[in-house]
Amino acid sequence: MRYLLIDRVLELEPGQFIRAVRNVTLTEDVLATHFPNFPILPGVIITDTLTQAASWAYAAQTDFAVGTRLYTLREAKFRRYVRPGDQLIIEARHLRDEEGGCTVWQAKALVNSRPVASIKELWLAPRSLSPEAADRQRRNFRYCGGLVPALV
Amino acid sequence: MRFYMVDRILEVQKDVSIKGLKNVSIVEDFFSGQSSEDEPELPMPLLIEALAQLGAWFVAATSDFEKRAVLLSLGELRFHRPARPGDQLLLEDWVVSASDDNAVVSGRIRVGDEIIMEMDECMCAIIPTGNLEDPAQMRLTYEWLTGGAAR
């Protein structure tokens, strides 16, 4: 299983906002057992996708030299089943910065303009990456990006 | 890949709590080298999945496999450190409230004595197992998760 969670970046304002696409297909490994009689994308994988999107939007303002680690999550809601054939539109928006250094984001996933999952607060702890890890992150972003911002 | 985030069920106390184990290994697909981390670490949200799946086992085991849980909402999660290959995660869920239609559990994950993650109020819908999978197969899986001998 690949563990890259975003297919394409549609829109990016570094440090502020990101909109991205995540296609859901029946060939995905997790759908074999989740669930045998009714494949649905696990809510937690959606959570991870939202986290990844916010993390990239944050990292983009540092040319991906800084990464983030999920520190706290508040109030996630999973409203609808996400099924093979659905196209998730992922949006993450910066809310504020916390004193301890965390950057706080809200995020949601939509299918056909209807929200399927939302997270009120994602607290991400920034961490500097080694040059190799930063390169990897930059490459991952480009690979999924489609959109290459001027600063990359 | 089996998307099973529980390797073993250690203890079930009906209406109260469940404990289980998840072993983290470098052979797992999540560590496929695409991470931007310098050291391999399990993506944090998969820790939530481990506790949520443990909760689903709890509902199944205490309903004779007729019912299981699907995730509705999460209250607050605090991540203290990532899980890394070689870690053996002790998973614990306890019931906060429960009805016929839904259940709320809280939980935590320890490695040895260290708490690496805490979860407050994960709400699940309780639905018929057959909607999602075969109850008989789920019962068999439960038997080997609890250490039952193959027959």
Side-chain angles (χ1 to χ4, degrees):
Chain A
M1 173 178 142
R2 300 178 63 91
Y3 209 78
L4 276 172
L5 297 165
I6 288 168
D7 291 316
R8 187 173 299 169
V9 176
L10 299 175
E11 214 181 310
L12 176 69
E13 285 173 53
Q16 292 304 322
F17 178 75
I18 188 168
R19 178 179 288 126
V21 171
R22 198 318 195 172
N23 277 347
V24 184
T25 170
L26 196 43
T27 59
E28 282 183 64
D29 292 336
V30 298
L31 298 180
T33 50
H34 196 283
F35 295 95
N37 292 355
F38 188 66
I40 49 177
L41 195 65
V44 167
I45 297 283
I46 302 171
T47 302
D48 213 357
T49 306
L50 294 170
T51 307
Q52 169 85 81
S55 179
W56 273 0
Y58 180 83
Q61 65 187 338
T62 68
D63 190 21
F64 299 95
V66 172
T68 68
R69 180 179 280 158
L70 182 57
Y71 181 75
T72 298
L73 178 155
R74 286 191 178 148
E75 293 187 45
K77 290 199 169 73
F78 306 95
R79 299 162 197 277
R80 290 190 173 81
Y81 291 137
V82 174
R83 307 179 56 194
D86 283 344
Q87 184 171 60
L88 290 176
I89 302 294
I90 302 298
E91 294 180 358
R93 189 177 295 280
H94 178 242
L95 288 179
R96 63 175 189 278
D97 294 320
E98 281 291 317
E99 272 178 28
C102 278
T103 173
V104 184
W105 293 66
Q106 66 173 10
K108 61 185 173 183
L110 306 116
V111 174
N112 294 328
S113 309
R114 300 167 85 187
V116 294
S118 61
I119 303 175
K120 203 168 187 180
E121 292 190 5
L122 278 171
W123 293 40
L124 307 175
R127 43 209 298 273
S128 49
L129 299 174
S130 70
E132 296 77 25
D135 277 347
R136 229 165 21 244
Q137 182 168 243
R138 214 170 278 131
R139 200 165 53 236
N140 283 346
F141 178 81
R142 281 207 189 111
Y143 189 69
C144 301
L147 179 144
V148 182
L151 58 104
V152 175
Chain B
M1 185 188 86
R2 277 198 180 100
F3 190 57
Y4 284 6
M5 296 298 289
V6 177
D7 291 319
R8 191 162 296 171
I9 292 167
L10 300 173
E11 185 189 302
V12 180
Q13 279 188 277
K14 189 169 164 50
D15 302 329
V16 179
S17 65
I18 182 167
K19 290 182 184 174
L21 276 186
K22 157 72 184 152
N23 275 349
V24 182
S25 167
I26 194 73
V27 304
E28 291 184 81
D29 293 333
F30 314 113
F31 304 110
S32 51
Q34 292 142 348
S35 166
S36 54
E37 301 301 332
D38 284 306
E39 292 171 7
E41 52 185 59
L42 199 66
M44 296 291 201
L46 294 181
L47 299 176
I48 314 171
E49 184 68 18
L51 290 181
Q53 290 191 8
L54 188 72
W57 281 117
F58 178 81
V59 171
T62 56
S63 69
D64 198 28
F65 302 93
E66 287 178 7
K67 301 283 173 63
R68 59 160 300 151
V70 292
L71 191 55
L72 279 182
S73 68
L74 297 162
E76 179 167 313
L77 296 134
R78 295 174 297 278
F79 300 91
H80 303 299
R81 78 150 167 93
R84 300 199 172 87
D87 283 341
Q88 188 166 55
L89 311 182
L90 176 62
L91 316 170
E92 299 171 73
D93 278 333
W94 53 92
V95 177
V96 175
S97 66
S99 70
D100 289 343
D101 301 325
N102 59 57
V104 177
V105 300
S106 289
R108 65 179 177 184
I109 300 180
R110 283 185 289 159
V111 176
D113 292 332
E114 183 188 8
I115 295 171
I116 68 161
M117 184 272 226
E118 299 168 277
M119 176 178 81
D120 295 341
E121 302 198 350
C122 164
M123 181 184 275
C124 304
I126 309 290
I127 65 171
T129 301
N131 291 5
L132 301 178
E133 59 190 306
D134 176 14
Q137 182 59 50
M138 201 176 183
R139 182 195 301 274
L140 280 176
T141 306
Y142 181 81
E143 283 183 16
W144 53 256
L145 284 176
T146 50
R151 285 187 286 270

